Amino acid sequence: MKYFIGAVLLVAVVLACNNQSTVTTKREETGKAGKTDSVKVFLLGLDSAQKQISLPGELLPNENAQLRAKVQGYIRKLNADIGSKVHRGQVLALIDAPEINSRVLELNEKVKAAQSRYLSSKDYFERINTASQSDGVIAPSEMQRVKNQMIADSSEYNAALFAASSYRQIGNYLAIVAPYNGVITKRNIVVGSFVGNANEKPLFELEDNSMLRLQVAVPEIYTGAVLINNFGDLTTRSLPDKKFKAKLVRKAGSIDEATRSEVWEFEVPNANKELKAGSYADVKLRFLRSEQSLVVPVSAVVTTLERKFVIKVSNNTTQWVDVRPGFNMGDKQEVFGELHAGDTLVTKANEELKAGTKVIAKISK
C-alpha cells in the first residue's frame, strides 16, 4: 500500500511539470508571434550618377596610304626609305617603261597626221562653200559630202588629241609621288624591281602621324551617358609616366552585336611624334548621366539567380521591387525601376526579409 501511494504521487508530480512546461512554451510562442522587428531604412533620393572607368584603346594613324604602281615597269630610282619624312608631291620613286615613251611619241605623230587631214578638209570645204555661192556651180550633194568629210576629220583629230593626252597622263604615273605629308613606314621594292602587277605588295606605305586616331570600344551601358568635358586621359606602355589628352570627335552610332559596345573615336595631337600608331593605350573616361537618377547604397540591392530587387517599406509592410542596375559607384549603385524619390527602402536588404512582413522602420543616420 505504501508503494502504491508513492507511485501515484510521482505520476502527479510529472503531470504537473509537463502542464507547466506547455503553458510556458505557449506563452513564449505567443510573445514571439506578436513581436515586430525593426529595420534600418533610408529615404530614396535623386543624385548625379558619375562613373570613371579605364578602357583599352588602339592608336591609329590619321591617314594611311598604300602606294602602288599603275603601270608596269622597272624601278629606276628610289628617293625615300623606311622612316623618311616626306612632303606632299615629293617624288618617292621613278619607274622605267620605255614602251610608254615610244607610245606617246607614236600618238603625237598620229595627232599631227589627223590635224593635217582636218586642216586640208576644212580648207577644201571653205573653197567649195565659196564657189557654191554662184548658182549651178557646185551640186548640193557634193557640198554635203565635203562638209561631212570635214566633220569626220575634225572628230578624228579630237580623238587623237584625247588619246595622246590620256597616254601622257599614264606617263605621269612613272613617278610615284607622296599624296600628303607623312612618314614612310614600309618599303617593299629595290632598284630594278619589276612593278605593276595586280597582286603585288604596295611599293610604299605612308602614314600621317601628326594627329592620331584613338578608337575605344565603349560598353553599351555607358553609351547613353555624357563624357565629362568631352575628353579622356590616356597612357601607353611605351610612355607609362606620361598622360595625353584625347578629344572625342565621332561615334559609330551602332552597337556591335558581338561585343555589345560602340566604337568611339578620339583625336590625339602628336606634333612631336612621341606616340606611335599601332600602340595600345589605356584610356580613363569619366561619364555623367545627363539627368539625375535614383542612387542607393550597394547593400540595399539584393541579387539572386532570378532577379535584382530592393525592399521597399510602405505602411510598415515590406515589398520587393525589381530594379535594373546602372552605374556602380563603389559603395553606391544607380538603379531603375518602379521607384520614386522619397520612397522608404531597407538599408541592408536580404532574401530572409520576405515581402509582406510587418516591420518598424528606423531611419538610418
Side-chain angles (χ1 to χ4, degrees):
M1 189 64 180
K2 180 172 64 174
Y3 293 110
F4 175 74
I5 293 172
V8 172
L9 292 174
L10 179 61
V11 170
V13 171
V14 171
L15 291 175
C17 292
N18 287 340
N19 289 337
Q20 183 65 30
S21 177
T22 302
V23 171
T24 302
T25 302
K26 287 182 177 180
R27 286 176 179 174
E28 291 177 354
E29 289 177 353
T30 302
K32 287 184 179 179
K35 183 181 180 181
T36 303
D37 292 331
S38 62
V39 294
K40 291 184 178 181
V41 298
F42 66 95
L43 296 179
L44 183 60
L46 294 171
D47 198 357
S48 297
Q50 297 187 30
K51 178 70 173 180
Q52 178 174 294
I53 61 174
S54 181
L55 295 174
E58 184 179 7
L59 289 169
L60 304 175
N62 186 41
E63 292 181 303
N64 183 13
Q66 294 184 340
L67 307 182
R68 301 176 184 273
K70 293 187 178 181
V71 295
Q72 290 187 337
Y74 294 91
I75 296 298
R76 176 162 61 90
K77 186 177 181 181
L78 281 176
N79 296 327
D81 207 334
I82 182 172
S84 298
K85 296 180 180 180
V86 300
H87 57 268
R88 181 178 180 180
Q90 179 177 335
V91 176
L92 307 179
L94 294 175
I95 300 175
D96 190 12
E99 64 277 10
I100 292 181
N101 294 329
S102 299
R103 180 61 174 163
V104 169
L105 293 175
E106 176 186 354
L107 291 175
N108 287 337
E109 294 302 314
K110 288 185 175 180
V111 168
K112 293 178 181 179
Q115 183 183 23
S116 298
R117 287 193 295 271
Y118 166 64
L119 292 176
S120 178
S121 297
K122 181 181 178 182
D123 180 67
Y124 186 57
F125 170 75
E126 291 175 349
R127 291 174 180 272
I128 292 294
N129 186 47
T130 301
S132 66
Q133 302 301 319
S134 301
D135 293 338
V137 176
I138 302 296
S141 59
E142 177 64 13
M143 180 66 184
Q144 187 62 43
R145 186 190 69 78
V146 172
K147 182 178 180 180
N148 291 341
Q149 183 63 48
M150 182 192 68
I151 294 174
D153 290 342
S154 174
S155 298
E156 184 179 352
Y157 173 51
N158 289 329
L161 285 174
F162 292 142
S165 176
S166 175
Y167 227 80
R168 279 195 295 270
Q169 181 62 41
I170 293 176
N172 293 335
Y173 295 149
L174 295 176
I176 307 300
V177 299
Y180 49 78
N181 299 342
V183 178
I184 301 296
T185 58
K186 289 184 181 180
R187 174 181 64 84
N188 298 311
I189 54 172
V190 295
V191 173
S193 299
F194 182 77
V195 297
N197 291 325
N199 298 322
E200 68 184 8
K201 293 182 178 180
L203 280 60
F204 300 96
E205 288 195 25
L206 175 64
E207 291 184 358
D208 174 14
N209 294 328
S210 59
M211 177 74 73
L212 295 181
R213 298 170 181 256
L214 173 66
Q215 289 190 347
V216 181
V218 177
E220 183 178 3
I221 189 174
Y222 301 109
T223 56
V226 176
L227 181 64
I228 296 178
N229 297 327
N230 223 37
F231 276 90
D233 296 322
L234 72 91
T235 58
T236 62
R237 295 178 181 178
S238 58
L239 299 169
D241 58 332
K242 290 190 176 183
K243 290 184 178 181
F244 301 87
K245 289 290 185 181
K247 181 182 179 181
L248 178 64
V249 292
R250 59 188 66 89
K251 301 179 182 180
S254 176
I255 300 297
D256 184 84
E257 295 181 359
T259 61
R260 306 310 308 171
S261 62
E262 180 185 19
V263 175
W264 288 12
E265 192 166 275
F266 298 75
E267 285 186 350
V268 184
N270 191 36
N272 55 8
K273 306 298 189 297
E274 282 186 297
L275 296 171
K276 309 296 181 184
S279 300
Y280 286 104
D282 293 317
V283 189
K284 288 185 178 180
L285 304 175
R286 291 185 298 156
F287 294 98
L288 172 69
R289 289 289 184 201
S290 56
E291 298 180 354
Q292 288 189 324
S293 53
L294 300 174
V295 177
V296 303
V298 172
S299 60
V301 181
V302 182
T303 302
T304 67
L305 294 176
E306 295 84 13
R307 61 196 293 192
K308 285 181 180 288
F309 63 91
V310 296
I311 300 178
K312 178 180 175 181
V313 179
S314 180
N315 296 324
N316 293 327
T317 304
T318 59
Q319 176 187 353
W320 288 8
V321 179
D322 290 329
V323 295
R324 301 181 304 279
F327 291 172
N328 185 310
M329 298 171 283
D331 59 343
K332 293 184 178 182
Q333 174 70 57
E334 181 188 29
V335 294
F336 301 91
E338 297 300 322
L339 297 169
H340 302 89
D343 287 346
T344 303
L345 303 183
V346 175
T347 304
K348 295 184 178 180
N350 57 71
E351 291 182 87
E352 295 179 1
L353 186 55
K354 303 297 183 182
T357 303
K358 289 290 185 179
V359 296
I360 298 175
K362 290 187 176 181
I363 300 294
S364 300
K365 294 183 179 179

